[in-house]
Amino acid sequence: MVVTVSLVALFGLVLFFLLRSRALGAGAAFIAAGFGFFLASTGAAKPINTLAASLIETVQKL
């Protein structure tokens, strides 16, 4: 759960800076956030969480 919250904060921060630098429009940010929200409620959420946890474990072991 801690990893998920951290990734959400990280992606939120990236979206914020992309909006601020005008590299990403408000509509695109809304679609990106909506995509993430709806993706989390599909069957793809568990494999994505497993992949993210695996990548984080790998980085920690380096």
Side-chain angles (χ1 to χ4, degrees), residues 21-32:
S21 68
R22 298 185 191 254
L24 182 68
F30 179 74
I31 291 184

Side-chain angles (χ1 to χ4, degrees), residues 16-41:
F16 170 76
F17 282 114
L18 286 173
L19 279 170
R20 189 167 180 199
S21 68
R22 298 185 191 254
L24 182 68
F30 179 74
I31 291 184
F35 176 73
F37 177 77
F38 288 115
L39 184 64
S41 65

Side-chain angles (χ1 to χ4, degrees), residues 43-62:
K46 183 172 169 116
I48 291 171
N49 285 336
T50 304
L51 176 66
S54 153
L55 288 173
I56 290 169
E57 279 183 35
T58 303
V59 169
Q60 287 177 347
K61 291 180 182 179
L62 293 178

